[in-house]
Amino acid sequence: MFLPHFAAVAVDGVDLDGDLVTFRVRAKAGEAPCLGCRWRSGRVHARYQRQLADIPLGGRRVRVVVCVRRFKCVNPECSQSTFSEQIEGLTTPFARRTPPLTQALVRVALALAGRPGARLAARLAMPCCHDVLIGLIRAQPLPEAGRIEVLGVDDFAVRRRRSYNTILINMDNHRPVDVLPDREAGTLAAWLREHPEIRTVCRDRAGAYAEGIRSGAPQAIQVADRFHLWKNLCEAVEKTVSAHHPCLRKAAAAQAIPGEPEPSTPAPAPAAELIAAPQRSYRLAERTRERYTAVQQCLARGLSRSAISRELNLDRQTVRRFANATCVEELLGRAEHRLTKLDPYIDLVNRRWNEGVTNAQTITCELRTLGFTGDVQTVRRYLKPFRMPGTSRCRPDPHRRRPTPTAAAVPKPRKISRALLTHPDRLTEQDALIVKNATTECVHLEHLQQHVRTFAKIMTQRRGLELPAWLDAVEADDLPELHSLAIGMRRDLTAIINGLTTEHSSGAVEGNVTRVKRLKRDGYGRANFDLLRAQILLAA
C-alpha cells in the first residue's frame, strides 16, 4: 500500500545506516518472459545483485538491492540463450534508478532545469548531477501538435537583440505546440503549410509574421493583438505629452509671480508669493540637444544615416532615433523628467527649506519618517540650485539662499500620460485635476485626450469597424506622434480591425512567453535550441 512498486517482490530485509535505508528484495514469480522472443522460462541459469536508487522515505535516501535471476530461454529458435528478469514497476534494462524516482527527477528537471534542479533534488534526498537531469529532459518524447484551429504566434529572445525564436500556441487549450529556431517569415510559412486546418492566427504587429501567415496559410484570418495596440498608443501619448510639456511649464510660469531675494535678505519670500521652479540643467539633456543638432545639420547637408553614424561615431539606431524625432523635446522627455523617489515629498522639502531648514541631512531624516527610501544625496542634488555660490554645504548660511518654488509644480510627462490613459471613472481627485489642468492649458493635449478615450471605447466595446474614422480624425489634428501611429496601423488595418472586433487575443501567448523567460533564467541562458524546445513543450 505504501510502496506500490514493490508489489511484485518479496522484501527479505531492511537496513538503516544513518540517512540511508536499504531494502533487500527478490521477485515473487517463479518464471519470467524472454526479452527476445517473449517465451516464459523458469530455468534459472545464475543469480546476481543489482542496486537501484529509489524515491526517499521519511526524508532518507533509499537504496534497493535486488536479487536478480538470469534465466535460460527454452525457445530453441531464439537467438538470445539467456536473459535477466525485469520486475514490473521496479526495474528497467540498464537503469540505476527505479521508475518512480526517474519520474520524480523528470518533474524536478522540467520545473527547474539543470543546476537549480540538482540543488533541490539533493535537499529532497534524491541526489543527482545536473547533467543527469538535462539528459532526462532530452529523453522524454515530445507531444504531438494535434489539430489546431486557432494559433497564437510570438517571438522571444534567446540573446536579446541578437537571436530570437518563435513560439506557437494552441489557443484552444493555451498550450505550446512547437518552437521555431528563428522568427523569419519563410520558417513560419513552412510550418503553417503542414497544418492546413488552421483558420485563425493571433499575432503581434511584426511584419515578418504577417508575411509568413499570408504565404503559408492564406485561408487563415489574421488577428492583431489588442495589448500591443494599446501599448503603441501609450508610447505615442507619452511622446506627445513630452513634446507639449514646455507649454504647460510656460503656463505655470506665467501664473507664478517671479521673485528672488537679495543675498543680504535675512527672511525667505513671503508665503503668499508664488515662485516658479528654476529650469534645471542635466548633462544627459545637454548631450541630447547637441546630438540632435548635429544629426539634423548632417541631414541638411544631404548625408545618409550610415554616413552620419560614421562621422559622429554613433550607432546607426541612435542616428535613426534622432533623425526621426520631430523636435528635440520628444527626445528630452525621459532625460529631463525622470521619476525619482523624492517626487512625492517635493512640497514638504520646499516648505522646510523656506522655513529656514537648509541642512539636507535634517530634511532627509524628516522624510524617512514619512516613508522616503532615498538617500541624502538625492535631497542635496535637488537643493543645490537654491544655494548661493560660496556657501558651505556642511554649514549652510540660512540667509544666503534662494527660496524654493512655492507655485504648484507641473507634473512630469509620465504622470500626465498615465492620467490621460486611465479610465475617467477610476481617476483619483489628484489625477483628475492633472487631466483638467493639462487639457485646459494645451489644446493639443485636449485633442489627445479625446482621441485616447475614443480609441479606448473602440477597443473595449469591440467596435473595430469605427477604427478608419478614428484614424481620419487623428490625421486631421496637429499631433505628429499620433500620425506615426496611424501610418503604422493603416499598413496592417485588416488584422487590427479583426483584433478589435473578434474575441481572440494573444494573452495566452504572452503568458507562455513569460514562462519561457523563467525557464531561461533557471537554465542560466545556456540551453541549446533542442533542450529549450523540449522544456517549453514538456513543462507546459
Side-chain angles (χ1 to χ4, degrees):
M1 181 173 61
F2 298 105
L3 301 171
H5 53 296
F6 279 21
V9 299
V11 180
D12 294 334
V14 181
D15 300 329
L16 178 60
D17 183 12
D19 63 342
L20 177 63
V21 180
T22 303
F23 288 89
R24 302 184 181 279
V25 302
R26 56 182 172 81
K28 293 179 180 178
E31 57 183 13
C34 176
L35 300 180
C37 63
R38 308 306 299 173
W39 278 37
R40 300 188 68 85
S41 173
R43 296 176 57 183
V44 179
H45 178 72
R47 289 180 174 86
Y48 65 94
Q49 286 188 345
R50 182 177 178 184
Q51 295 187 9
L52 304 171
D54 197 12
I55 55 176
L57 185 63
R60 293 182 173 90
R61 294 182 295 115
V62 175
R63 179 177 61 187
V64 181
V65 180
V66 186
C67 181
V68 181
R69 296 170 294 181
R70 190 167 187 84
F71 291 93
K72 186 172 181 61
C73 184
V74 296
N75 184 5
E77 299 179 357
C78 182
S79 60
Q80 190 168 344
S81 58
T82 61
F83 62 92
S84 298
E85 65 178 340
Q86 298 296 334
I87 303 173
E88 184 179 359
L90 188 63
T91 65
T92 52
F94 308 106
R96 303 180 67 179
R97 296 177 299 272
T98 62
L101 178 60
T102 300
Q103 294 173 4
L105 292 177
V106 168
R107 295 190 186 99
V108 171
L110 292 176
L112 295 176
R115 297 182 187 275
R119 290 195 293 267
L120 177 62
R123 293 293 184 91
L124 297 178
M126 301 183 296
C128 68
C129 177
H130 65 277
D131 290 330
V132 172
L133 296 179
I134 292 176
L136 289 175
I137 296 176
R138 285 196 166 105
Q140 301 303 307
L142 299 180
E144 297 292 335
R147 180 177 178 81
I148 307 170
E149 294 187 357
V150 182
L151 181 71
V153 181
D154 201 0
D155 62 348
F156 63 90
V158 178
R159 297 184 65 186
R160 189 171 178 83
R161 297 182 180 178
R162 294 193 179 187
S163 60
Y164 291 82
N165 291 163
T166 299
I167 186 171
L168 307 176
I169 306 296
N170 187 346
M171 302 302 291
D172 292 333
N173 55 18
H174 297 176
R175 295 180 66 88
V177 294
D178 208 344
V179 180
L180 306 182
D182 53 41
R183 55 177 180 178
E184 301 297 329
T187 306
L188 178 60
W191 191 92
L192 290 174
R193 292 188 189 99
E194 299 176 358
H195 299 80
E197 72 278 5
I198 295 176
R199 293 291 176 265
T200 305
V201 181
C202 302
R203 60 168 177 83
D204 58 14
R205 298 178 59 196
Y209 288 151
E211 179 61 29
I213 296 169
R214 281 194 295 268
S215 176
Q219 78 284 355
I221 298 174
Q222 299 190 36
V223 178
D225 183 40
R226 293 186 290 274
F227 166 77
H228 290 92
L229 294 174
W230 184 254
K231 180 176 180 292
N232 295 336
L233 178 64
C234 293
E235 294 172 351
V237 168
E238 186 173 354
K239 291 180 180 179
T240 303
V241 174
S242 298
H244 293 277
H245 199 259
C247 302
L248 304 180
R249 295 202 301 266
K250 291 178 182 178
Q255 295 177 2
I257 301 176
E260 178 177 288
E262 296 296 331
S264 60
T265 304
E273 185 180 2
L274 294 179
I275 302 173
Q279 185 67 28
R280 301 180 63 187
S281 61
Y282 297 85
R283 286 179 294 178
L284 178 59
E286 295 174 359
R287 188 184 67 184
T288 301
R289 288 191 178 94
E290 293 173 358
R291 287 183 175 179
Y292 177 79
T293 302
V295 170
Q296 295 299 326
Q297 290 175 352
C298 291
L299 288 174
R301 287 160 46 196
L303 296 180
S304 65
R305 297 184 180 184
S306 298
I308 297 174
S309 175
R310 292 190 297 270
E311 180 173 329
L312 300 180
N313 195 22
L314 296 176
D315 186 82
R316 194 172 185 278
Q317 297 299 326
T318 303
V319 174
R320 180 184 62 83
R321 185 164 58 90
F322 280 89
N324 292 342
T326 56
C327 62
V328 69
E329 294 294 339
E330 179 181 329
L331 302 169
L332 292 175
R334 295 183 179 179
E336 290 188 334
H337 307 292
R338 293 183 176 181
L339 298 177
T340 67
K341 295 180 180 179
L342 190 62
D343 290 345
Y345 310 96
I346 288 294
D347 293 338
L348 177 59
V349 174
N350 293 340
R351 180 168 57 82
R352 296 297 288 154
W353 174 271
N354 291 332
E355 290 174 355
V357 182
T358 58
N359 190 294
Q361 184 66 50
T362 303
I363 298 177
T364 304
C365 293
E366 295 181 11
L367 297 180
R368 291 225 170 93
T369 61
L370 302 177
F372 177 63
T373 59
D375 58 1
V376 65
Q377 295 299 333
T378 304
V379 181
R380 284 173 179 162
R381 281 193 296 267
Y382 174 75
L383 295 177
K384 183 178 179 180
F386 306 110
R387 300 186 187 277
M388 287 291 188
T391 59
S392 172
R393 187 182 67 183
C394 300
R395 296 179 181 179
D397 184 356
H399 303 309
R400 294 179 57 81
R401 58 186 174 86
R402 297 184 181 93
T404 56
T406 55
V410 179
K412 295 188 177 181
R414 181 169 295 184
K415 193 169 185 178
I416 299 175
S417 303
R418 183 181 62 185
L420 290 173
L421 292 164
T422 303
H423 193 281
D425 297 339
R426 300 178 182 175
L427 285 173
T428 63
E429 293 183 3
Q430 182 181 5
D431 290 342
L433 182 61
I434 290 175
V435 173
K436 180 180 178 181
N437 293 338
T439 55
T440 302
E441 300 296 342
C442 182
V443 65
H444 294 90
L445 297 185
E446 181 182 3
H447 294 167
L448 176 66
Q449 180 195 28
Q450 296 173 358
H451 294 315
V452 168
R453 293 188 175 180
T454 303
F455 185 85
K457 291 180 180 178
I458 293 175
M459 185 179 69
T460 56
Q461 300 176 11
R462 308 282 177 82
R463 291 152 49 179
L465 297 178
E466 301 178 9
L467 182 63
W470 182 83
L471 294 175
D472 293 337
V474 165
E475 293 171 346
D477 277 338
D478 184 18
L479 298 171
E481 293 77 13
L482 288 187
H483 291 175
S484 300
L485 176 66
I487 293 173
M489 285 186 172
R490 288 195 182 277
R491 294 197 195 103
D492 202 18
L493 187 59
T494 303
I496 293 176
I497 292 178
N498 292 335
L500 297 176
T501 306
T502 63
E503 71 280 2
H504 298 296
S505 174
S506 297
V509 185
E510 297 297 334
N512 277 276
V513 170
T514 302
R515 184 176 61 86
V516 170
K517 294 177 181 178
R518 197 268 303 168
L519 292 174
K520 286 174 50 189
R521 286 195 298 270
D522 290 341
Y524 299 92
R526 298 178 180 178
N528 291 335
F529 173 71
D530 63 320
L531 177 60
L532 183 60
R533 177 172 179 265
Q535 286 182 277
I536 294 172
L537 298 180
L538 293 171

